[in-house]
Structure formats: C-alpha cells, structure tokens
Amino acid sequence: AAKGCRFEVAPVEPGLALCVDKRLIVSAITALVKKAFKFTRPGGRVRLNAYAVHERVLIEIEDECGGLPHGVADRILLPFTRRGEKNGLGLGLSISRREIEACDGLLRWRDLPLVGCVFTLDLPRHAAPPRSIQAQA
C-alpha cells in the first residue's frame, strides 16, 4: 500500500485442486508475492494467476520490477544470489524452489525485459471429488 501497488488475482476455474503440503506451498507463494511487491515499481501491479494445463496446475506471480539486471538472470534461483539489494541473504528464491520441489513441483521464471518477471509454480494436479461428495464431507 505504501508504494501504491495493485494486487490482481485472476478467477480460478472451479474444481482446480492440488494435493500437496499446504504449509510448504503457502510459504513459497507468500515469499514470491512479497518479493514481487518488494521489487515492483511504485504504482505498479502484481498479478496472481492459477490455471490447469493437462495434469499440471500452474500458478504464476507476475511483477513489474523492470526486468532483471544483467548477470543475475542465469543465477536467480541459486542460493546467495541477490538482485542488488543490500538487505537479505539472497536465499528467498532458493528456499521457495526447494519447498515447491518437495511437493513434486518445479519453479520456473522468465524475464520480461524492461517490464518485470514471471515466476511459475508447476505442480501436479489433483482430481477433486465431485461436488456432491464434497457436500457430504
């Protein structure tokens, strides 16, 4: 709020489900969203989008950080890699990656030069029980 940033969450298709360690995934997503807000330019936007592709669920966190500095892109998920900030140890993304991998997922990223970055959690999709069964539980 102090930077005047907006947070947008896209609608999620009904029945989209994961079977993962909730604590680990919530921790990873929270860390990635915090990092997105930290680096997004004042007045910018952070977006969260979740959707299915075949048997996978993709959760994307997109920021408007202006893109990655030269030389950081190829090491961004490695421990002790910092994006030029003076605080922190540079462990946040590597910890998030390990949490996601512990849930049989992958963490990928792509740089949008001069715009921002998109971090994608790629996780196994869980077939949710039909609504009538959920209502009985």
Side-chain angles (χ1 to χ4, degrees):
K3 290 172 61 177
C5 294
R6 296 184 318 265
F7 186 47
E8 296 177 358
V9 179
V12 177
E13 76 176 67
L16 190 62
L18 298 169
C19 186
V20 295
D21 183 320
K22 181 179 177 181
R23 180 182 49 84
L24 292 175
I25 292 303
V26 168
S27 174
I29 292 171
T30 300
L32 290 166
V33 168
K34 282 182 178 181
K35 190 164 283 297
F37 276 109
K38 178 179 179 179
F39 290 107
T40 291
R41 63 177 171 74
R45 173 177 48 194
V46 173
R47 293 182 199 156
L48 180 72
N49 187 22
Y51 57 95
V53 175
H54 305 292
E55 298 305 313
R56 306 296 290 178
V57 172
L58 303 180
I59 301 171
E60 296 179 332
I61 299 151
E62 181 178 345
D63 64 32
E64 292 183 351
C65 67
L68 294 173
H70 179 72
V72 173
D74 52 347
R75 337 177 259 118
I76 194 164
L77 297 180
L78 297 175
F80 305 108
T81 300
R82 296 184 347 191
R83 194 187 157 223
E85 72 269 20
K86 299 198 187 314
N87 58 354
L89 295 173
L91 294 172
L93 290 176
S94 65
I95 291 170
S96 293
R97 183 185 73 198
R98 288 186 183 163
E99 291 170 330
I100 294 161
E101 288 172 351
C103 295
D104 295 323
L106 300 169
L107 177 60
R108 296 189 307 263
W109 63 270
R110 67 183 187 275
D111 184 25
L112 306 172
L114 304 176
V115 177
C117 299
V118 180
F119 289 89
T120 303
L121 291 76
D122 181 334
L123 298 159
R125 185 175 185 173
H126 177 67
R131 283 216 177 272
S132 61
I133 294 173
Q134 288 177 346
Q136 295 172 9

